[in-house]
Amino acid sequence: MAMAMAAMRGAAASLGPGAVSWNSKRFFLSSSSTTSRPHRRRLRAFPSSEQTLEELNPSVELLRKTAEAVGDFRKTPIYIVGTDCTAKRNIAKLLANSIIYRYLCSEELLEDVLGGKDALNAFRESDLNGYLEVETEGLKQLTSMGSLVLCCGDGAVMNSTNLGLLRHGVSIWIDIPLELVVNDMLKTQATSDPDSFSEAMSRVRQRHDELKERYGVSDITVSVQNVASQLGYSSIDSVTLEDMVLEIVRQIERLIRAKSMMEAAGKPF
C-alpha cells in the first residue's frame, strides 16, 4: 500500500505546467499539442480497443463548441465515475483533449504500480480499506491540481470521505449499458462462452446495483441510452464519443449558469 500511496503523490507532483507524460504512459496533454491537431472523423463511442490521447483528436467544431461553453470553467477539476470500461476511459480522454485539460486514470496508475489489473483486483479484494485509503490519498493530492480530468475507480464513491473530496470539482457519472461493459470485459479474457457472459453480467450487475446510488450523487449524469434517444438514434451503436462529450459540455454549461444564478441570489451553491 505504501508504494501505491507514493505513486499517487508522485503523479500529483508531476502535474506541473506543460507536463506531457508520466512513466512513459501518455496521460497528460499540453494545450499547444491539442490545438494544432487536424480534424478527424467522428469517433465511435465503443471502439474495439482503448485509444490513446493522441488518437482521440477532437474535431474543430467540437473544440469551438467546448471553448464557448466552458470558457469560465477553467481550472475546475473534473472527476469521471461509473462502471469501468473502455468507453468510459475513451470519453474521459476526448473530454480532456476537447477542453484542453490534462488526463489521468487512477486505476491505471495503481495497475502500473502493483503490476497489472489482476494485481489491483487482488489488492482491492484482500485489503478494501487499504484500497480506499489509496483512493483517498490520490483525491487529496489531485483536488488542488485544477485543469484535470480524473477517471476514477470505484473507490472514489465507496465512502463519505472520498465523496466529499469529489465536491472540490465537478463529478460526472458516465452511465454505460451493462451489456457493453460485460462485452468489453470479456474481450480481455478472450472468451465467447455464453455461460461466461451470464456469470460476468451477474457480477457486474451486482456491483452496479451496490454503487448506483453513489454514482447518482454526481453533479452530472450522462447516459449513453439517453443521448441516443435525444439525438433520435435507433440504436446506441450510433452514439459517438463526440456526442457524449457534447452532452457533458452542455450539462457543464447548465451547471455554470445555475451556479451563477444562485450566487446572484446570494444563496450557497
Side-chain angles (χ1 to χ4, degrees), residues 4 7-8 22 25 27 50 84 89 105-121 123-124 131:
M8 285 294 190
W22 178 82
K25 276 189 167 288
F27 287 126
E50 184 170 355
D84 185 51
R89 294 189 294 272
C105 176
S106 61
E107 295 284 276
E108 289 181 352
L109 176 63
L110 289 174
E111 287 172 15
D112 279 356
V113 172
L114 297 172
K117 190 177 291 290
D118 290 342
L120 173 58
N121 290 337
F123 171 52
R124 183 165 42 216
Y131 168 72

Side-chain angles (χ1 to χ4, degrees), residues 91-104:
I91 292 165
K93 289 175 183 177
L94 183 59
L95 174 64
N97 281 357
S98 300
I99 60 176
I100 324 300
Y101 268 35
R102 296 177 180 121
Y103 168 84
L104 179 66

Side-chain angles (χ1 to χ4, degrees), residues 147-250:
S147 304
L148 172 72
V149 172
L150 179 64
C151 197
C152 300
D154 286 340
V157 301
M158 288 177 66
N159 63 28
S160 57
T161 298
N162 292 351
L163 283 171
L165 289 168
L166 296 184
R167 306 308 300 172
H168 290 273
V170 171
S171 54
I172 302 173
W173 175 18
I174 305 297
D175 188 9
I176 308 288
L178 297 186
E179 291 81 3
L180 296 174
V181 174
V182 172
N183 283 331
D184 184 56
M185 178 190 304
L186 293 179
K187 283 176 189 173
T188 65
Q189 299 175 3
T191 178
S192 58
D193 184 348
D195 291 335
S196 296
F197 181 91
S198 177
E199 292 169 4
M201 174 60 78
S202 178
R203 292 194 303 272
V204 168
R205 190 177 299 281
Q206 180 180 353
R207 182 75 169 175
H208 178 269
D209 290 345
E210 290 171 355
L211 296 176
K212 65 182 179 182
E213 288 188 9
R214 292 178 177 271
Y215 294 149
V217 303
S218 298
D219 299 303
I220 291 171
T221 297
V222 177
S223 162
V224 173
Q225 291 174 318
N226 287 347
V227 169
S229 177
Q230 290 165 11
L231 295 175
Y233 296 155
S234 59
S235 167
I236 60 172
D237 292 336
S238 298
V239 177
T240 68
L241 289 174
E242 292 205 356
D243 291 333
M244 294 295 292
V245 170
L246 281 170
E247 179 59 23
I248 290 170
V249 169
R250 278 191 286 268

